Amino acid sequence: STTDIETMLGHFKAAAPDAPAPTAIDFVAGELRIKGLDASASAIATMSAKLRPQGYSVRQDADALLIKEERFR
C-alpha cells in the first residue's frame, strides 16, 4: 500500500537522502509527520517535486513536515 509507514518513509528518504535524522515521526491515518528536520522552503519544494509523481503532497505544518497521499488530477 502507498499509505503504509514503511512505503512513505522509503519515498521520503529517496526524495531527501541528505536530510538529518528526525527527532520524531508520527503516523496517523495515512499521514506522515516528520519533526526536527528544519527544512527550508526550497528543500520542501524539492521534496515535493520528487514525491508528487509518487502520489504524495509535502508541506510544512507547524513544527513538522507533513507527507500524505493525494489524488492528483
Side-chain angles (χ1 to χ4, degrees):
S1 169
T2 58
T3 58
D4 66 46
I5 190 169
E6 292 86 6
T7 300
M8 292 177 81
L9 283 171
H11 286 300
F12 165 72
K13 190 61 179 167
D18 298 325
T23 57
I25 296 172
D26 295 320
F27 183 74
V28 177
E31 292 187 355
L32 181 64
R33 291 179 182 275
I34 303 173
K35 297 181 181 181
L37 296 180
D38 196 28
S40 67
S42 64
I44 292 170
T46 299
M47 281 185 266
S48 182
K50 290 179 179 179
L51 289 171
R52 186 178 174 102
Q54 304 296 324
Y56 299 101
S57 67
V58 179
R59 68 179 173 87
Q60 188 72 37
D61 184 45
D63 64 342
L65 187 70
L66 175 65
I67 301 173
K68 65 180 184 175
E69 186 177 39
E70 294 287 346
R71 303 281 188 236
F72 297 108
R73 296 172 194 222

